[in-house]
Amino acid sequence: MDGVRERTGLRKVESRASVTEADDLDLSRLLERPRLKLERKRSFDERSLSDHAAAGSLQPVDSFESMLSLGAMRSVLDTPTSSAHNSFEPHPMVAEAWDALRRSIVLFRGHPVGTIAAYDHASEEVLNYDQVFVRDFVPSALAFLMNGEPDIVKNFLLKTLQLQGWEKKIDRFKLGEGVMPASFKVSHDPIRKTDNLTADFGESAIGRVAPVDSGFWWIILLRAYTKSTGDSALAESPECQRGMRLILALCLSEGFDTFPTLLCADGCSMIDRRMGIYGYPIEIQALFFMALRCALSMLKQDAEGKEFIARIVKRLHALSYHIRSYFWIDFQQLNDIYRYKTEEYSHTAVNKFNVIPDSIPDWIFDFMPVRGGYFIGNVSPARMDFRWFALGNCVAILSSLATPEQSVAIMDLLEERWDQLLGEMPLKIAYPALENHEWQIVTGCDPKNTRWSYHNGGTWPVLLWLFTAACIKTGRPQIARRAIDLAENRLSKDGWPEYYDGKLGRYVGKQARKLQTWSIAGYLVAKMMLEDPSHLGMISLEEDKAMKPPIKRSASWTI
Ligand code: GLC
């Protein structure tokens, strides 16, 4: 693909954004390094990187700068001639993926504004897969940014911003002003020879689910765009500042909550069907945390901005404490919960949410390794959903919601439980699957979400980019390499499916679309990040030392 070869990834470093993040300095410094005019076919000795890691010379890092001091990483910034003997030959799938990604581009009045969810002409039912989904566009956007093509991303950000301003109604009920659409569709009117837009905020979606994640992804993408291009004018524009504030006003509003986590309805994220993910799902909390941190770095300090900044800082403080303390599980913590007393009253309660030990599911006792840990799916009164969710845990690492020790433990878990969480194709969206009676009750007998299929323990190749980013951030690129190798065995041959089924993710999903754009873009982003780890800065935030981890530490934190 011309895009792959011709683009050098050069950025206008002299006009860098004024995105100021005290906690993000290491990454900003990294991005300020002038990029060399390397071709995409540049040298990168990935093997030597894995070898170094295998030999134990790669340590988990909490500062991205320290990764660059590693000899193996330096090869990324080498001139092509200096290490020409290790010339990096792109996998043939890369060119194929770029072709497919470009075919998925949607134009509005001649300008690219996004990518279609799936380019699957063979599928009997198009449903809404011919639309541009906000969450689906994120990996596409990152691929374009990493390839030095920011225009489509800017157009997308502006177009969705306009849609945010639309009045949204479901029957006679009006949705909040700040809600961003789940998706939008461009249709061509051949008579008037013009393009028209329709957006879906949940009023047409199956089950009428509103996308809480869209607004968060929009803010995260705005920061990625700013970081990548150095163009801070977009984020600073009155329209974007207003857009951010509208999203924030929705999720920072006060209610009857006793927790800093955001109360959600089922199906409000990537898992957009009934799956027992209501209440305080980690999938949304991690995105909420990340979006708040991104907004903090982009909000203008005018009177209104200052007020939001103060509210965000308070919320982040409480949110990180709450999630790091109460969502965290490892061997020691599980043992503590197993021995919990119940019906404790007053401030001295240890079992604050009155979790009944009998409600701990059997599977977790075998699943929990001695080394490793993770953020569980949900915590609310008398309810802990112990399921593993890949997106929430990866975003927790990228946003530094997870402390460095917790990030290490999550990666340990992924290594220790590879068969269950990655299997033969990366990556399980959730683990384990709901079966039998539980499936009937929780999913409402959903035939698409039968056990080990789709959202219910299915495997989603798109998650590869999030996993790769988490691996790079924690200094374990060799694990990402292993996962990418698995994807390369099958993804293209199978026609880039939306998801796989089965305990090991071995079967192309029952109703999986082919040529699913985010499976394609997710692969490209993973490849580009591994090739040039400095891309990580777009989508990662360093630890904020002011947000202290809770005092209580259990076994896996101190390895
Ligand atoms: C399905 C997925 C959702 C995705 C959409 C378009 O509804 O559950 O996460 O955004 O398809 O690909």
Side-chain angles (χ1 to χ4, degrees):
M1 272 308 299
D2 49 356
V4 186
R5 292 204 200 95
E6 282 168 21
R7 296 293 177 154
T8 59
L10 273 177
R11 309 290 186 278
K12 287 185 203 141
V13 282
E14 62 282 2
S15 62
R16 265 200 46 73
S18 64
V19 174
T20 50
E21 292 155 75
D23 50 350
D24 204 8
L25 288 179
D26 286 336
L27 290 167
S28 348
R29 251 186 284 131
L30 184 64
L31 286 174
E32 271 162 16
R33 280 164 193 256
R35 283 168 180 268
L36 298 168
K37 285 196 182 196
L38 303 186
E39 291 195 33
R40 274 277 156 222
K41 272 175 83 173
R42 78 189 129 194
S43 63
F44 177 44
D45 182 5
E46 284 175 87
R47 290 253 172 267
S48 73
L49 187 60
S50 327
D51 292 345
H52 278 262
S57 61
L58 275 185
Q59 296 298 320
V61 282
D62 54 15
S63 138
F64 195 66
E65 191 71 17
S66 60
M67 283 183 78
L68 264 187
S69 65
L70 297 169
M73 283 294 183
R74 237 179 265 127
S75 67
V76 176
L77 297 169
D78 274 347
T79 54
T81 43
S82 66
S83 51
H85 60 283
N86 283 323
S87 159
F88 174 74
E89 273 301 323
H91 194 284
M93 266 169 68
V94 169
E96 183 198 318
W98 272 110
D99 278 339
L101 182 61
R102 291 193 195 287
R103 270 200 306 274
S104 74
I105 291 177
V106 172
L107 300 179
F108 180 73
R109 299 185 183 157
H111 299 287
V113 288
T115 49
I116 203 173
Y119 198 81
D120 188 355
H121 291 318
S123 182
E124 64 292 355
E125 259 187 314
V126 174
L127 296 176
N128 48 0
Y129 283 88
D130 60 349
Q131 305 204 4
V132 180
F133 277 75
V134 171
R135 70 175 75 88
D136 293 44
F137 182 65
V138 172
S140 301
L142 295 176
F144 288 123
L145 288 175
M146 288 175 189
N147 206 39
E149 299 174 71
D151 290 353
I152 184 171
V153 182
K154 185 176 182 176
N155 294 343
F156 168 87
L157 287 165
L158 289 170
K159 193 46 66 204
T160 40
L161 199 55
Q162 274 175 11
L163 299 177
Q164 185 195 32
W166 286 12
E167 185 181 87
K168 309 126 205 182
K169 276 174 95 174
I170 298 187
D171 295 333
R172 293 174 195 180
F173 182 66
K174 208 170 128 203
L175 270 70
E177 232 191 322
V179 177
M180 278 280 181
S183 61
F184 64 85
K185 184 179 165 122
V186 176
S187 35
H188 187 69
D189 182 336
I191 297 161
R192 290 200 191 132
K193 293 203 170 44
T194 180
D195 289 338
N196 296 318
L197 270 184
T198 38
D200 184 3
F201 299 87
E203 74 274 33
S204 311
I206 297 169
R208 301 292 181 262
V209 284
V212 176
D213 62 340
S214 286
F216 297 152
W217 278 124
W218 188 88
I219 292 176
I220 293 166
L221 195 55
L222 181 62
R223 174 182 171 275
Y225 170 87
T226 311
K227 276 271 179 189
S228 161
T229 59
D231 167 20
S232 56
L234 182 68
E236 284 171 9
S237 67
E239 298 81 29
C240 283
Q241 290 287 316
R242 183 166 184 275
M244 263 191 286
R245 286 172 195 175
L246 285 176
I247 298 168
L248 294 168
L250 270 182
C251 57
L252 292 174
S253 64
E254 287 168 355
F256 290 95
D257 301 292
T258 48
F259 308 132
T261 33
L262 188 66
L263 186 59
C264 297
D266 217 343
C268 66
S269 65
M270 174 181 177
I271 299 176
D272 52 2
R273 303 166 82 89
R274 189 171 145 190
M275 267 291 292
I277 309 184
Y278 57 87
Y280 306 92
I282 189 69
E283 299 289 80
I284 289 291
Q285 309 312 322
L287 284 174
F288 179 34
F289 180 87
M290 184 152 185
L292 288 183
R293 287 198 67 195
C294 290
L296 203 54
S297 70
M298 295 185 292
L299 279 173
K300 277 192 163 173
Q301 301 238 11
D302 51 24
E304 203 192 349
K306 276 188 184 152
E307 192 205 311
F308 272 106
I309 290 170
R311 285 166 73 189
I312 292 175
V313 169
K314 270 196 205 152
R315 191 67 174 256
L316 280 173
H317 208 69
L319 193 59
S320 58
Y321 177 83
H322 185 90
I323 295 175
R324 288 170 181 179
S325 313
Y326 306 128
F327 278 64
W328 185 252
I329 192 124
D330 54 20
F331 186 79
Q332 184 61 50
Q333 184 70 11
L334 178 59
N335 210 154
D336 291 349
I337 299 171
Y338 175 67
R339 288 164 52 80
Y340 266 168
K341 291 190 184 61
T342 56
E343 310 297 328
E344 293 173 298
Y345 179 74
S346 107
H347 292 288
T348 53
V350 177
N351 179 5
K352 288 189 180 149
F353 310 113
N354 200 33
V355 174
I356 318 289
D358 274 351
S359 71
I360 305 175
D362 285 343
W363 63 265
I364 200 176
F365 293 104
D366 293 331
F367 175 73
M368 185 58 75
V370 176
R371 214 171 66 105
Y374 65 102
F375 293 111
I376 62 170
N378 221 312
V379 177
S380 60
R383 177 177 180 237
M384 284 178 115
D385 179 347
F386 290 93
R387 279 177 294 172
W388 151 269
F389 289 91
L391 184 145
N393 277 278
C394 288
V395 172
I397 292 177
L398 294 179
S399 62
S400 292
L401 167 60
T403 64
E405 293 88 345
Q406 286 175 328
S407 298
V408 167
I410 294 170
M411 297 312 295
D412 285 343
L413 177 93
L414 282 157
E415 286 198 71
E416 297 273 328
R417 293 292 176 257
W418 185 279
D419 282 351
Q420 291 91 333
L421 304 179
L422 285 105
E424 294 183 17
M425 174 60 73
L427 216 64
K428 277 239 141 32
I429 193 167
Y431 178 90
L434 304 166
E435 305 193 43
N436 307 321
H437 188 59
E438 208 184 357
W439 164 78
Q440 289 178 353
I441 302 294
V442 177
T443 74
C445 300
D446 188 340
K448 208 168 172 185
N449 271 333
T450 49
R451 67 194 166 130
W452 307 114
S453 182
Y454 201 46
H455 301 137
N456 188 11
T459 290
W460 290 67
V462 58
L463 298 170
L464 185 61
W465 80 263
L466 278 166
F467 175 70
T468 300
C471 288
I472 295 174
K473 187 162 182 191
T474 50
R476 300 191 197 186
Q478 74 283 7
I479 321 180
R481 180 68 266 165
R482 194 175 153 199
I484 292 174
D485 283 347
L486 285 175
E488 285 176 345
N489 285 339
R490 298 269 315 257
L491 263 190
S492 158
K493 270 186 240 154
D494 293 338
W496 306 93
E498 181 187 14
Y499 64 96
Y500 286 80
D501 285 357
K503 277 194 181 169
L504 291 170
R506 186 180 283 169
Y507 301 95
V508 174
K510 228 183 325 188
Q511 295 186 42
R513 306 286 140 157
K514 296 290 181 72
L515 285 171
Q516 181 81 20
T517 303
W518 66 359
S519 301
I520 296 162
Y523 166 72
L524 283 174
V525 172
K527 286 292 269 192
M528 283 192 276
M529 266 191 301
L530 206 55
E531 187 187 335
D532 179 356
S534 71
H535 287 314
L536 180 67
M538 270 186 227
I539 202 70
S540 168
L541 294 142
E542 287 302 282
E543 194 198 2
D544 184 344
K545 301 276 187 310
M547 284 187 281
K548 297 248 175 1
I551 320 270
K552 202 180 106 198
R553 287 172 179 234
S554 48
S556 63
W557 292 33
T558 47
I559 288 164

